[in-house]
Amino acid sequence: MLSKETNKGLTYADAGVDIDAGNKAVELMKDSVKATYRPEVLGDLGGFGGLFSLMNSNLKKPVLVSGTDGVGTKLRLAIMMGKHDTVGQDCVAMSINDVLVQGAEPLFFLDYIAVGKLDPIQVASIVKGVADACRESGCALLGGETAEMAGFYAKGDYDLAGFGVGIVDRDHVITGETIQSGDVLIGLPSTGVHSNGFSLVRKIVFERKEMALDQYVDELGMTIGECLLTPTRLYPKPCLPVIRKFDVKGMVHITGGGFYENIPRILPKGIGVEVDITAWPQLPIFGLLQQWGNVDKKEMYRTFNMGIGMIMVVAPEDADAVMQNLSARGEKAYVIGRAAASDVPVTLQGGAFDD
């Protein structure tokens, strides 16, 4: 005989998916999303697709540039700390910075959040971080998806990824193919570890050092959790004025793979770069991670950004003017190296690399 519980008609909520909570989350995030809209956005939040007009583009041969990425295991720290308002910027930065290096102005962004149990306040906090980063980057948060996946993610866990689109004139796409010996590398500082290398970070901090995220570290001037959760820097605002005014030959977003894997992606055959690692101040977190984990110097530079999140390559006759342009707008930048004829893509000099 079937029990009363067995006879009960099931609902989606019984299976772990709360449609009402989803609707509440949309209401909570609506103002943040609308605040990012550019004039090209058509329609309103809630459609099946986001609409964005290109009719106002004054480019002769417009090309759309797209990029997609996630935040990765940095999310584990946000979940452990119960702090969800910064990882949205990480999500935007990872895609939009990649679009930027092709010379593209960011147009719009879409996010994807997957949760085990939908908490409207938590999701709204994440989306507000996404929206704030979109506003700073000058792009619209055109839409997104929040998927409640009961039984797939543990309660409180979530994943976050996104997709960004930019636009550039075909004649001004930055490819790196014109880089030649003598060209100058200008580096823009990072805000910290950004969003790459966190599997190694977590192994060092939690397993090797057995640290708690709320442990204060004198060298950092904050807790280790606050330092590691510092969001990835957004580079459109400092870089777009340079791209529009000067012939930027190549750009590199220093993400997973550090210097050794990312710089070669833009170099023509027979051209390498020599990077002086003493040309910029090292952020304390990198020295601590190296010390705590006894990590080889080369491994550090092939895993982390080491304090430089974006590199622009320009002709030597443009280098001073580019540096002045950045400085006049309050942007820190460093001449960190030069291109040279070489079959070795990346040579690091200074410090331990001179031993």
Side-chain angles (χ1 to χ4, degrees), residues 186-189 312 322-323 326-327 331-335:
I186 295 175
L188 278 70
M312 293 187 285
V322 170
M323 291 291 288
L326 290 162
S327 177
E331 302 290 351
K332 290 184 178 180
Y334 308 94
V335 174

Side-chain angles (χ1 to χ4, degrees), residues 18-346:
D18 189 339
I19 294 175
D20 291 334
N23 292 334
K24 182 178 179 181
V26 171
E27 282 301 315
L28 289 173
M29 68 179 72
K30 186 175 290 185
D31 289 343
S32 295
V33 174
K34 285 188 173 182
T36 72
Y37 282 4
R38 295 167 48 126
E40 300 96 328
V41 175
L42 307 178
D44 201 353
L45 186 68
F48 286 96
L51 304 177
F52 193 97
S53 173
L54 295 178
M55 291 299 292
N56 294 331
S57 171
N58 58 3
L59 304 182
K60 294 180 180 179
K61 293 182 281 187
V63 174
L64 295 179
V65 183
S66 63
T68 185
D69 209 337
V71 180
T73 60
K74 185 175 184 176
L75 291 175
R76 178 53 56 195
L77 277 68
I79 293 166
M80 292 170 66
M81 294 175 67
K83 182 174 173 55
H84 312 288
D85 59 343
T86 62
V87 291
Q89 178 168 325
D90 291 297
C91 185
V92 173
M94 293 304 289
S95 292
I96 292 302
N97 288 342
D98 280 355
V99 166
L100 176 70
V101 301
Q102 309 283 179
E105 174 192 349
L107 293 178
F108 59 83
F109 186 83
L110 296 96
D111 61 11
Y112 172 81
I113 306 170
V115 302
K117 179 66 176 176
L118 200 153
D119 176 346
I121 302 297
Q122 180 194 63
V123 169
S125 179
I126 296 169
V127 173
K128 185 180 185 304
V130 173
D132 288 347
C134 284
R135 289 179 64 186
E136 183 176 335
S137 302
C139 66
L141 178 53
L142 196 57
E145 164 72 358
T146 301
E148 189 171 19
M149 301 171 65
F152 194 87
Y153 292 95
K155 184 178 180 180
D157 283 359
Y158 61 89
D159 197 9
L160 174 62
F163 180 93
V165 174
I167 192 168
V168 62
D169 193 289
R170 185 172 181 177
D171 293 337
H172 295 100
V173 175
I174 297 175
T175 64
E177 62 187 7
T178 63
I179 294 174
Q180 59 187 7
S181 180
D183 285 341
V184 176
L185 276 65
I186 295 175
L188 278 70
S190 69
T191 52
V193 182
H194 283 181
S195 298
N196 297 104
F198 271 85
S199 293
L200 178 56
V201 168
R202 290 185 299 112
K203 191 168 188 67
I204 292 171
V205 172
F206 300 142
E207 296 183 26
R208 180 68 65 89
K209 294 296 291 181
E210 298 182 337
M211 297 178 73
L213 284 171
D214 61 356
Q215 183 170 330
Y216 188 87
V217 180
D218 289 336
E219 295 92 333
L220 301 175
M222 62 183 76
T223 68
I224 185 65
E226 289 171 331
C227 177
L228 294 176
L229 213 55
T230 302
T232 305
R233 186 179 178 190
L234 298 156
Y235 289 99
K237 189 175 290 185
C239 291
L240 280 173
V242 174
I243 293 170
R244 290 164 178 161
K245 188 172 183 178
F246 300 95
D247 178 19
V248 178
K249 295 186 173 187
M251 293 182 67
V252 182
H253 183 203
I254 304 295
T255 56
F259 287 69
Y260 286 105
E261 301 299 326
N262 287 295
I263 296 176
R265 296 166 69 176
I266 67 163
L267 296 177
K269 186 176 181 180
I271 295 293
V273 298
E274 298 169 349
V275 177
D276 177 7
I277 67 167
T278 67
W280 68 91
Q282 186 183 86
L283 298 175
I285 184 60
F286 296 111
L288 291 172
L289 289 172
Q290 183 181 7
Q291 174 190 332
W292 292 341
N294 191 27
V295 183
D296 179 76
K297 194 84 168 180
K298 185 172 183 178
E299 183 69 12
M300 292 292 294
Y301 281 85
R302 69 173 296 183
T303 303
F304 302 113
N305 65 64
M306 299 304 289
I308 294 293
M310 182 68 73
I311 296 173
M312 293 187 285
V313 184
V314 299
E317 58 268 24
D318 289 334
D320 286 346
V322 170
M323 291 291 288
Q324 290 171 10
N325 179 287
L326 290 162
S327 177
R329 293 184 288 115
E331 302 290 351
K332 290 184 178 180
Y334 308 94
V335 174
I336 65 170
R338 293 184 181 273
S342 176
D343 292 328
V344 180
V346 179

